[in-house]
Amino acid sequence: MSHNSFGHLFRVTTFGESHGPALGCVVDGCPSRLPLEAAEIQQFLDLRRPGQSRFTTQRQEPDAVKILSGVMTDETGAQLTTGTPIALLIENTDQRSKDYGEIKDSYRPGHADYVYDVKYGIRDYRGGGRSSARETAARVAAGAVARKVIPGVMLRAAMIQVGPHKIDRSRWDWDEVSRNSLFCPDAQAAALWAEYLDDIRKKGSSVGAVLEVVAEGVPAGWGAPVYGKLDADLAAALMSINAVKGVEIGDGFGVAELTGEDNADEMRAGNQGPHFLANHAGGILGGISTGQPIVARFAVKPTSSILTPRLSVDRHGAEVELRTKGRHDPCVGVRAAPIAEAMMACVLADHFLRHRGQQGEGFSWPFAR
Amino acid sequence: MSHNSFGHLFRVTTFGESHGPALGCVVDGCPSRLPLEAAEIQQFLDLRRPGQSRFTTQRQEPDAVKILSGVMTDETGAQLTTGTPIALLIENTDQRSKDYGEIKDSYRPGHADYVYDVKYGIRDYRGGGRSSARETAARVAAGAVARKVIPGVMLRAAMIQVGPHKIDRSRWDWDEVSRNSLFCPDAQAAALWAEYLDDIRKKGSSVGAVLEVVAEGVPAGWGAPVYGKLDADLAAALMSINAVKGVEIGDGFGVAELTGEDNADEMRAGNQGPHFLANHAGGILGGISTGQPIVARFAVKPTSSILTPRLSVDRHGAEVELRTKGRHDPCVGVRAAPIAEAMMACVLADHFLRHRGQQGEGFSWPFAR
Amino acid sequence: MSHNSFGHLFRVTTFGESHGPALGCVVDGCPSRLPLEAAEIQQFLDLRRPGQSRFTTQRQEPDAVKILSGVMTDETGAQLTTGTPIALLIENTDQRSKDYGEIKDSYRPGHADYVYDVKYGIRDYRGGGRSSARETAARVAAGAVARKVIPGVMLRAAMIQVGPHKIDRSRWDWDEVSRNSLFCPDAQAAALWAEYLDDIRKKGSSVGAVLEVVAEGVPAGWGAPVYGKLDADLAAALMSINAVKGVEIGDGFGVAELTGEDNADEMRAGNQGPHFLANHAGGILGGISTGQPIVARFAVKPTSSILTPRLSVDRHGAEVELRTKGRHDPCVGVRAAPIAEAMMACVLADHFLRHRGQQGEGFSWPFAR
Amino acid sequence: MSHNSFGHLFRVTTFGESHGPALGCVVDGCPSRLPLEAAEIQQFLDLRRPGQSRFTTQRQEPDAVKILSGVMTDETGAQLTTGTPIALLIENTDQRSKDYGEIKDSYRPGHADYVYDVKYGIRDYRGGGRSSARETAARVAAGAVARKVIPGVMLRAAMIQVGPHKIDRSRWDWDEVSRNSLFCPDAQAAALWAEYLDDIRKKGSSVGAVLEVVAEGVPAGWGAPVYGKLDADLAAALMSINAVKGVEIGDGFGVAELTGEDNADEMRAGNQGPHFLANHAGGILGGISTGQPIVARFAVKPTSSILTPRLSVDRHGAEVELRTKGRHDPCVGVRAAPIAEAMMACVLADHFLRHRGQQGEGFSWPFAR
């Protein structure tokens, strides 16, 4: 059972609420002797950190991570993992003592307020409690550790649609992603989105988004049929991110319109072994990596925290109208790219270790891999 | 670790290859004293069974299920579950001794042939071995047991798109689903699809599809944040079905174009407790059921077994051209409806037991549920 | 959750009741390309099989095992594992239609009858149902597969005490174990035990026993602190065997009387790396194998099926006197040696795969191992 | 996989090294609305805390616990669990900067030094790192939470043997346990042990011990055959405690000398349902609780940290002689009682939740329970 854990050999357990003393995670199963500094984790947290542009919540949190266990400095002065659990702690500093009066007792539509109260009979109303997107800081921290386990894999994510506005894939430029504050690989789309989101923000509204995350350098053979499939694990990992409502691999929902002729990625031989002529499969067949880039997309819903009043009820059963005051994101998808990379890193690290543990002995594969 | 298992309290382990002696599953954790007859399981297997229309493979398998353990007849003559593992066995009868010469050594594009060989260094080429859709018979059998655990839940699935042809949702009629052989809730679309698929079949081609699966009667409160989320588990369960490339909950990828005003399902009070005015969320918020119908959709790729030759390589690294002879499905989505219902039944049965085990004590929820 | 499963990377799920149609197991996670024939599994089942001497139950079961999945014959004619789940089936043939009248409604003291009825509200009274020692046939079958995963490890078990009669360890001879029907490594003790057990059998009584199981050839480094410890997993595995009430590793309960000077196994250098001068630890320190033989012992209680009437109650709450008629074992420990070997094989196979998956990269250990 | 986690529905993950910044645990799956204050956890930590008598290590650690997440203060001012993960943190304060020169490179016999280096290629030599008994502070903290889940269960542990000196069970007085610093239920034995241990301490030696832990108030029906057995889980939990080498339930190894007549606990009817006339089974039959007290015993080896030099090797393969300087326990069993209670509390809380989730529906048991 793993309500707050994911992964098997590389296993992450997170804890913490939005306005509690701290949040963090325990990373269990990380191999030993990998160099790991807090600063390396911090750089990924800084990418996810709110308050960096006008498109994200203005909450100011340093999100400074501490490594509490699982590392040790060797004679050379390098800090290395020891094979024991790595506990990472992020203290909450911006717990402003505001008046939660209204949402304390009322259920914000579209949020998890109502279901938490039904399930648990108690609800941490301060900033959404456990259901807050602040929990994803712990994921990003864990993902930074996971990257150390799979150094040959390059992980990148980009936002590819905001509201009705999609990028033009012919203009895709990965370098562009870090040049704008919207993780957009298409410079023209980024400019358009900025205007569009400014408008959304001024109206106190919000809008959804689609993101794409890609892993390059994963060799063929990771994943395990038929319920430990790489794509099944990725689907769960991405769907578990706050506000995600859809996940697809490769051509995704587009496969419905394809014929078998189009969809089957053909193969040719080569000096470095077989290669594929297309990647409709998104790098996964039968739940196992093909050696091609692993491509996943996911949809993020608009945040339900908006200025327009919405109909709802309170915990006493009375009808109310609610509008969300204070700082909020016009598009929560903006901060989802580092989170998606982290989730994919964790899934791949886990499957790498599983594959290493279980692969068949005593055969030699004829092709270079 | 659960390569071939899924679920936690209600846990299913499947085994078996397409052309081995038998396939089946072990269902562990089913509560005791539930009436369970092989005939009840059989009716669901019969829905999935191939060879029933011209739109599915002509392989003739009775798919007769035997209950090997976990049940007992009481004094009244009723066969009841005993709380011990329920083993279900389906013998393979149609293992025609055909010549697998060509595909024995060559990798069919779009299939899992290549990755199995890379991963395991050996591959059961007979009918796809473990990667064959025959494995889903075991899922359907397990799902029939799961339904017994959640008798108040109604599970239904329908195909809503075949190739480029979508249904008209205004004509949705659940009764229609069992009247046509395409699990289509729209009579007009069903007629169109039949013609379209006849054409596809005659050309020896194949096409993808989208299906929708709905669970009604799930009370609010099932599911567990933040990695044991109901939607994360559903996403993994549906993505694990052969040929599935995308999964979405509620409005799914459509949320990208919604504003927060549209997307937040408003609530009103009522005699039976709070209710929602819309269901964009597809019955799940924060990973927990809301009490509304749970709505999921998934995309099924076209089978890669087609008559048109495709480029590939063989296991010795030589380039080949392959075409698939023999019986095959023009649209594997046609048989996916009973499988999707079964997967959702298993996920819900598991979450029901988990919720019962973990819910908070000592509080009384003010509303009827 | 794993009511009927154990292990993680090498994972076994068993099913079946004493008098149902069949029992068996699914072995998931076995690496591919290991030669595996049913006959190899059968030889271990034959060792456990009842009815082979006057000291075991006279139930006549061939316990013939079938491999239903997970293997394939390659070009050379060798049957190899494929990396997919291996399902093993043993049909129950000796389900004699006897009158269960008395024990059907009454709880045999010392058996699990009462607690099954309390827990499940229904109980398979035929031969003990799921709580019968027949379930251990599935363990022995799984253990035969596990042995293939760790070919360099030699597993042996012996009975070392029957009732008050212990062996003389100075006479320990492993070859003796297969020469007598009591798995006794001390020929003199074996002769004494035979007389003693004849007497017990004639009186319709029963007696307990202690067994020792030893694994040689396990390299240092298997196991994982602090809850996946090799000794913790072994303790659970052995305690899960029917009738076992105690487990110890190395000096076990004897450590209470040792001083730190005596108990610490000293080390010396050598050409093949460090070695130990003693093995009080039983081959495990800190939950990790030391490279020395792994030594475990466990106590088996006398079967509660005896001819002397015992006081009990029936399911209606009435007081009764019960005596067990029919075939039974004077000492169930006699058949426990193959079961203990199988459990240790499964635990070691699992830890071998886990260790291979998780060991640190990029360091070279200075000693040969 | 759960190297550093245990339990399923009530699941504990611990982290931290002896001389790192902090240690702690995450308790996942605790039901909501249970009152929980740090002070309640602290009282159990204080019982385990070193430095309280001359029989335990003189390391001075306040072991002050902080609750980082999973609780919330309600309107009445009560702090309640919320159903989300409860993170507990204990900072290490007494990390004296001593010279580890000798043990830094040498393997202390009887400790886990050698195997950690073999397994991980790196070893936290400061105070034993992860293999230090300091990790058990996290267990005790988790156990304090577990007790809240099973308020009707009384958990008590006592030391019953030190070196060759056993208690006289006829003098057993639970009240005595808290009156002496040796957790001894026999006042006369306590006095004798104090003298004996003073002598051991002065010699710089150490000695082993046996402890007994008892849970009263557990109803019949907890536990799950055949690998999720209550006794199998208890065996693993107790064996996972540092220095434990043997575990037994009920009569344990004593069953070897019993006959079936003696060992079968007879039953009689009564107003409150059936009851047993003896408890040789230690409250568990077939892996399921009987309603009688659950009785377990375990053996703790003498610590290997002693003043007498022992032969060993260093990491470069050279032979060395080692003696342990500084503060150490003459009998680590002295501090094991609170740890054993905590482990049993966690196992029982887990099985309680599992039982509640899985018990059969629709039957009414005829007896009061």
Side-chain angles (χ1 to χ4, degrees):
Chain A
M1 296 291 294
S2 50
H3 305 304
N4 290 281
S5 301
F6 65 99
H8 294 269
L9 282 184
F10 185 89
R11 185 167 179 85
V12 177
T13 301
T14 73
F15 63 87
E17 281 80 39
S18 175
H19 285 63
L23 54 87
C25 63
V26 182
V27 178
D28 196 6
C30 182
S32 61
R33 295 194 67 83
L34 302 175
L36 182 70
E37 303 283 343
E40 295 173 291
I41 303 171
Q42 193 64 50
Q43 77 185 69
F44 291 103
L45 282 169
D46 289 347
L47 284 175
R48 192 212 72 100
R49 192 151 50 89
Q52 301 193 105
S53 80
R54 65 188 185 279
F55 306 119
T56 58
T57 172
Q58 293 309 302
R59 177 170 174 156
Q60 297 293 338
E61 288 277 7
D63 280 357
V65 68
K66 284 183 211 163
I67 304 179
L68 296 184
S69 65
V71 295
M72 196 180 169
T73 305
D74 75 356
E75 302 89 53
T76 71
Q79 186 166 274
L80 301 179
T81 60
T82 60
T84 62
I86 301 167
L88 303 175
L89 192 77
I90 300 166
E91 290 181 55
N92 286 325
T93 55
D94 186 17
Q95 311 166 42
R96 55 171 85 173
S97 58
K98 71 181 223 188
D99 176 19
Y100 287 99
E102 194 175 14
I103 67 164
K104 181 171 175 303
D105 285 327
S106 297
Y107 302 133
R108 294 169 300 162
H111 280 290
D113 300 353
Y114 170 68
V115 292
Y116 267 67
D117 232 0
V118 171
K119 185 171 189 73
Y120 297 115
I122 186 173
R123 173 173 67 91
D124 190 338
Y125 48 79
R126 300 165 302 172
R130 180 72 178 151
S131 72
S132 162
R134 261 196 80 60
E135 187 271 341
T136 59
R139 302 177 185 226
V140 170
V145 181
R147 285 167 191 265
K148 293 293 187 135
V149 179
I150 46 168
V153 175
M154 179 163 57
L155 287 156
R156 294 187 293 197
M159 191 150 67
I160 61 171
Q161 180 179 350
V162 172
H165 306 294
K166 302 183 183 183
I167 60 160
D168 179 339
R169 296 186 77 94
S170 70
R171 287 197 296 259
W172 189 299
D173 177 2
W174 277 114
D175 291 338
E176 194 59 37
V177 169
S178 54
R179 283 195 208 111
N180 59 70
S181 54
L182 296 172
F183 295 90
C184 179
D186 169 357
Q188 290 185 34
L192 172 70
W193 293 356
E195 274 183 57
Y196 173 72
L197 286 177
D198 265 335
D199 185 50
I200 292 282
R201 183 173 56 83
K202 283 169 192 160
K203 287 194 290 193
S205 183
S206 65
V207 74
V210 176
L211 286 97
E212 182 164 317
V213 53
V214 180
E216 289 171 85
V218 176
W222 295 8
V226 295
Y227 302 111
K229 284 178 170 172
L230 186 52
D231 40 359
D233 279 1
L234 266 178
L238 294 174
M239 191 67 93
S240 78
I241 299 174
N242 308 51
V244 171
K245 300 301 286 184
V247 178
E248 55 184 22
I249 307 290
D251 281 7
F253 279 87
V255 295
E257 305 200 14
L258 294 181
T259 62
E261 286 79 2
D262 296 327
N263 184 65
D265 302 322
E266 293 184 302
M267 301 179 79
R268 292 284 82 184
N271 292 337
Q272 265 99 49
H275 62 276
F276 292 87
L277 304 180
N279 190 17
H280 297 283
I284 303 176
L285 284 171
I288 302 172
S289 62
T290 63
Q292 294 212 88
I294 294 174
V295 181
R297 274 179 304 284
F298 58 99
V300 181
K301 72 179 186 184
T303 180
S304 307
S305 299
I306 47 175
L307 287 182
T308 313
R310 297 280 89 189
L311 304 178
S312 189
V313 298
D314 69 16
R315 62 199 302 253
H316 310 295
E319 300 194 334
V320 296
E321 273 203 5
L322 276 180
R323 57 191 287 275
T324 309
K325 301 154 204 156
R327 54 198 183 189
H328 288 294
D329 298 53
C331 177
V332 286
V334 174
R335 288 162 59 204
I339 305 166
E341 287 178 20
M343 295 310 286
M344 193 180 270
C346 290
V347 169
L348 290 173
D350 188 34
H351 275 277
F352 165 57
L353 297 180
R354 289 160 72 171
H355 179 65
R356 198 166 62 172
Q358 291 204 288
Q359 64 189 310
E361 302 268 41
F363 76 97
S364 73
W365 175 246
F367 309 120
R369 265 178 282 176
Chain B
M1 297 289 297
S2 49
H3 305 303
N4 291 280
S5 301
F6 64 99
H8 294 270
L9 282 184
F10 185 89
R11 186 167 178 85
V12 176
T13 301
T14 74
F15 62 87
E17 281 80 39
S18 176
H19 285 63
L23 55 87
C25 63
V26 182
V27 179
D28 196 6
C30 183
S32 61
R33 295 195 67 82
L34 303 175
L36 182 70
E37 302 284 344
E40 296 173 292
I41 303 171
Q42 194 63 49
Q43 78 184 70
F44 291 103
L45 283 168
D46 289 347
L47 285 174
R48 191 213 72 100
R49 192 151 51 89
Q52 301 193 107
S53 80
R54 66 187 185 279
F55 305 120
T56 58
T57 172
Q58 294 309 301
R59 176 169 175 158
Q60 296 293 339
E61 288 278 6
D63 279 358
V65 67
K66 283 183 210 162
I67 304 179
L68 295 184
S69 64
V71 295
M72 196 181 170
T73 305
D74 75 357
E75 302 90 53
T76 71
Q79 185 165 274
L80 302 178
T81 60
T82 60
T84 62
I86 300 167
L88 303 175
L89 192 76
I90 300 167
E91 289 181 55
N92 287 325
T93 56
D94 185 18
Q95 311 166 41
R96 54 170 85 173
S97 58
K98 71 182 222 186
D99 177 19
Y100 288 101
E102 193 175 13
I103 66 164
K104 181 172 177 299
D105 285 328
S106 297
Y107 303 132
R108 296 168 299 162
H111 281 290
D113 299 353
Y114 171 68
V115 292
Y116 267 67
D117 232 1
V118 171
K119 184 171 191 74
Y120 298 115
I122 186 172
R123 174 171 66 90
D124 190 338
Y125 47 79
R126 301 164 302 172
R130 180 73 180 151
S131 71
S132 163
R134 261 196 80 60
E135 186 271 341
T136 58
R139 302 176 185 227
V140 170
V145 181
R147 286 167 191 265
K148 292 293 188 134
V149 179
I150 45 168
V153 176
M154 179 162 59
L155 288 156
R156 295 187 292 198
M159 190 150 67
I160 61 171
Q161 180 179 350
V162 171
H165 306 295
K166 301 184 183 184
I167 61 160
D168 179 338
R169 296 186 77 94
S170 70
R171 287 196 296 260
W172 191 297
D173 176 3
W174 277 114
D175 290 338
E176 194 59 38
V177 168
S178 54
R179 282 195 209 113
N180 60 70
S181 56
L182 295 172
F183 295 90
C184 179
D186 168 357
Q188 289 185 35
L192 173 70
W193 294 356
E195 275 183 57
Y196 173 73
L197 286 178
D198 265 336
D199 185 51
I200 292 282
R201 183 173 56 84
K202 283 169 192 160
K203 287 194 290 193
S205 183
S206 65
V207 75
V210 177
L211 287 97
E212 183 164 316
V213 55
V214 180
E216 289 172 83
V218 176
W222 295 9
V226 295
Y227 303 110
K229 285 179 169 172
L230 186 52
D231 41 359
D233 279 1
L234 267 177
L238 295 173
M239 191 67 92
S240 78
I241 299 174
N242 308 50
V244 170
K245 300 301 284 185
V247 178
E248 55 184 20
I249 308 291
D251 281 7
F253 278 87
V255 295
E257 305 201 14
L258 293 182
T259 63
E261 286 79 2
D262 295 329
N263 184 65
D265 302 321
E266 294 184 301
M267 301 179 78
R268 292 284 82 184
N271 292 335
Q272 266 99 50
H275 63 277
F276 291 87
L277 304 180
N279 190 17
H280 296 283
I284 302 176
L285 284 172
I288 302 172
S289 62
T290 63
Q292 295 212 86
I294 294 174
V295 181
R297 273 178 305 284
F298 59 98
V300 181
K301 72 179 186 183
T303 180
S304 308
S305 300
I306 48 175
L307 287 181
T308 312
R310 297 281 89 189
L311 304 178
S312 189
V313 298
D314 68 15
R315 61 199 302 253
H316 311 296
E319 299 194 336
V320 296
E321 273 202 3
L322 276 181
R323 57 191 288 275
T324 309
K325 301 153 204 156
R327 54 199 184 186
H328 289 293
D329 299 55
C331 177
V332 286
V334 174
R335 288 162 59 203
I339 304 166
E341 286 178 20
M343 295 311 284
M344 194 182 267
C346 290
V347 169
L348 290 173
D350 187 33
H351 275 277
F352 165 56
L353 298 180
R354 289 160 71 170
H355 179 65
R356 199 167 63 173
Q358 291 204 287
Q359 64 189 310
E361 301 269 39
F363 76 95
S364 73
W365 174 246
F367 310 119
R369 268 179 280 174
Chain C
M1 297 289 295
S2 49
H3 304 305
N4 291 281
S5 300
F6 65 98
H8 294 269
L9 282 184
F10 185 89
R11 186 167 178 85
V12 178
T13 301
T14 74
F15 62 87
E17 281 81 39
S18 175
H19 284 63
L23 55 88
C25 63
V26 182
V27 179
D28 196 7
C30 183
S32 61
R33 294 194 69 82
L34 303 174
L36 181 71
E37 302 284 343
E40 295 173 292
I41 303 171
Q42 193 64 49
Q43 78 185 68
F44 291 103
L45 282 168
D46 290 347
L47 285 174
R48 191 212 73 100
R49 191 151 51 89
Q52 300 194 107
S53 81
R54 67 188 184 278
F55 305 120
T56 58
T57 174
Q58 292 310 300
R59 175 169 175 157
Q60 296 293 339
E61 289 277 7
D63 279 358
V65 68
K66 284 182 211 162
I67 304 179
L68 296 184
S69 64
V71 295
M72 196 181 171
T73 306
D74 75 356
E75 301 89 56
T76 70
Q79 185 166 275
L80 302 178
T81 60
T82 60
T84 63
I86 301 166
L88 304 175
L89 192 77
I90 300 166
E91 291 181 54
N92 287 324
T93 55
D94 185 18
Q95 312 166 41
R96 55 169 87 175
S97 58
K98 72 181 223 188
D99 177 19
Y100 287 99
E102 194 175 13
I103 66 164
K104 182 172 175 304
D105 286 327
S106 297
Y107 303 133
R108 296 168 300 163
H111 281 289
D113 300 353
Y114 169 67
V115 293
Y116 267 67
D117 234 0
V118 170
K119 185 171 191 72
Y120 298 115
I122 186 172
R123 175 171 65 90
D124 189 338
Y125 47 78
R126 301 164 301 174
R130 180 73 178 151
S131 71
S132 163
R134 262 195 79 61
E135 186 271 341
T136 58
R139 303 177 185 226
V140 170
V145 181
R147 285 167 192 265
K148 292 293 187 134
V149 178
I150 46 168
V153 175
M154 179 162 59
L155 288 156
R156 294 186 293 197
M159 191 150 67
I160 61 170
Q161 180 179 350
V162 171
H165 306 295
K166 302 183 182 184
I167 61 159
D168 179 338
R169 296 186 77 94
S170 71
R171 286 197 297 259
W172 191 298
D173 177 3
W174 278 114
D175 290 338
E176 195 58 38
V177 168
S178 55
R179 281 193 210 114
N180 59 70
S181 54
L182 296 171
F183 296 88
C184 179
D186 168 357
Q188 289 185 37
L192 173 69
W193 293 355
E195 275 183 56
Y196 173 72
L197 286 177
D198 266 335
D199 185 50
I200 292 282
R201 183 173 55 83
K202 283 169 192 161
K203 286 193 291 192
S205 183
S206 65
V207 74
V210 177
L211 286 97
E212 183 165 317
V213 55
V214 180
E216 289 171 84
V218 175
W222 295 8
V226 296
Y227 302 111
K229 284 178 169 172
L230 185 52
D231 41 359
D233 279 2
L234 266 177
L238 294 173
M239 191 67 92
S240 78
I241 300 174
N242 309 50
V244 171
K245 299 302 283 185
V247 178
E248 56 183 22
I249 307 290
D251 282 7
F253 279 88
V255 295
E257 305 200 14
L258 294 182
T259 62
E261 286 79 2
D262 295 328
N263 184 66
D265 302 321
E266 296 184 300
M267 301 179 78
R268 292 284 81 184
N271 291 336
Q272 266 97 51
H275 63 277
F276 292 88
L277 303 180
N279 190 17
H280 297 283
I284 303 176
L285 284 170
I288 302 172
S289 62
T290 63
Q292 294 212 86
I294 293 174
V295 182
R297 275 178 304 283
F298 59 98
V300 181
K301 72 179 186 183
T303 180
S304 307
S305 300
I306 49 175
L307 287 181
T308 313
R310 297 281 90 188
L311 304 178
S312 189
V313 297
D314 68 16
R315 61 199 304 254
H316 311 295
E319 300 195 334
V320 297
E321 272 203 5
L322 277 180
R323 55 190 288 275
T324 309
K325 300 154 204 154
R327 56 200 182 185
H328 289 292
D329 300 53
C331 177
V332 286
V334 174
R335 289 161 59 202
I339 304 165
E341 287 178 20
M343 294 310 285
M344 194 182 266
C346 291
V347 169
L348 290 173
D350 188 34
H351 275 277
F352 165 57
L353 298 180
R354 289 161 72 169
H355 179 64
R356 200 167 60 172
Q358 291 204 286
Q359 65 188 311
E361 300 270 38
F363 75 96
S364 72
W365 174 246
F367 309 120
R369 267 179 279 173
Chain D
M1 296 292 294
S2 50
H3 305 304
N4 291 281
S5 301
F6 66 99
H8 295 269
L9 282 184
F10 185 90
R11 186 166 178 86
V12 177
T13 300
T14 74
F15 62 86
E17 281 81 39
S18 175
H19 285 63
L23 57 86
C25 63
V26 182
V27 179
D28 196 6
C30 183
S32 60
R33 296 194 66 82
L34 303 175
L36 182 71
E37 303 283 344
E40 295 173 292
I41 303 171
Q42 194 63 49
Q43 77 184 69
F44 291 103
L45 282 169
D46 290 347
L47 284 174
R48 192 213 72 99
R49 191 151 52 89
Q52 300 193 107
S53 80
R54 66 188 185 280
F55 305 119
T56 58
T57 174
Q58 293 309 300
R59 175 168 175 158
Q60 297 293 339
E61 288 277 8
D63 279 358
V65 69
K66 283 182 211 164
I67 305 180
L68 295 184
S69 65
V71 294
M72 196 181 171
T73 305
D74 75 357
E75 301 90 54
T76 71
Q79 185 165 274
L80 302 178
T81 60
T82 60
T84 62
I86 300 167
L88 303 175
L89 191 77
I90 299 166
E91 289 181 56
N92 286 324
T93 56
D94 186 19
Q95 311 166 41
R96 55 171 85 174
S97 58
K98 72 182 222 186
D99 176 19
Y100 287 99
E102 194 175 14
I103 67 165
K104 181 171 176 303
D105 285 327
S106 297
Y107 303 133
R108 296 169 299 163
H111 281 289
D113 300 353
Y114 170 68
V115 292
Y116 267 68
D117 233 0
V118 171
K119 185 172 190 73
Y120 298 115
I122 186 173
R123 174 172 65 90
D124 189 338
Y125 47 79
R126 301 165 302 172
R130 180 73 179 151
S131 71
S132 163
R134 261 196 79 61
E135 186 271 340
T136 59
R139 303 177 184 227
V140 170
V145 181
R147 284 167 192 264
K148 293 292 187 135
V149 179
I150 47 168
V153 175
M154 179 162 59
L155 287 156
R156 294 187 292 197
M159 191 150 68
I160 62 171
Q161 181 180 350
V162 171
H165 306 295
K166 302 183 182 183
I167 61 159
D168 180 338
R169 296 186 77 93
S170 70
R171 287 196 296 260
W172 191 297
D173 177 2
W174 277 114
D175 291 339
E176 194 58 38
V177 169
S178 54
R179 281 194 211 114
N180 60 69
S181 54
L182 296 171
F183 295 88
C184 179
D186 168 358
Q188 289 185 34
L192 173 68
W193 292 356
E195 274 183 57
Y196 174 72
L197 286 178
D198 266 335
D199 186 51
I200 292 281
R201 183 172 56 84
K202 284 169 191 160
K203 285 193 292 193
S205 183
S206 65
V207 75
V210 177
L211 286 96
E212 182 165 318
V213 54
V214 180
E216 289 171 85
V218 176
W222 295 8
V226 297
Y227 302 111
K229 283 178 171 173
L230 185 53
D231 41 358
D233 279 2
L234 266 177
L238 294 174
M239 192 67 93
S240 78
I241 299 174
N242 308 50
V244 171
K245 299 302 283 185
V247 178
E248 56 184 21
I249 307 289
D251 281 8
F253 278 87
V255 296
E257 304 201 14
L258 294 181
T259 61
E261 287 78 3
D262 296 328
N263 184 64
D265 302 321
E266 294 184 301
M267 300 178 79
R268 291 285 82 184
N271 292 336
Q272 267 99 50
H275 62 275
F276 291 88
L277 303 180
N279 190 17
H280 296 284
I284 303 177
L285 284 171
I288 302 173
S289 61
T290 64
Q292 295 213 87
I294 293 174
V295 181
R297 273 179 305 284
F298 59 98
V300 181
K301 73 179 186 183
T303 180
S304 308
S305 299
I306 48 176
L307 287 181
T308 313
R310 297 281 89 189
L311 303 178
S312 189
V313 298
D314 68 16
R315 62 200 301 254
H316 311 294
E319 300 195 334
V320 296
E321 273 204 4
L322 276 180
R323 57 191 286 276
T324 309
K325 300 153 203 154
R327 55 199 183 186
H328 288 291
D329 298 54
C331 177
V332 286
V334 174
R335 288 162 59 204
I339 304 166
E341 287 179 20
M343 295 309 286
M344 194 181 268
C346 290
V347 169
L348 289 174
D350 187 34
H351 275 277
F352 165 57
L353 298 180
R354 290 161 70 170
H355 178 64
R356 199 167 61 171
Q358 292 203 287
Q359 64 188 312
E361 302 269 40
F363 75 96
S364 73
W365 175 246
F367 309 119
R369 265 180 279 175

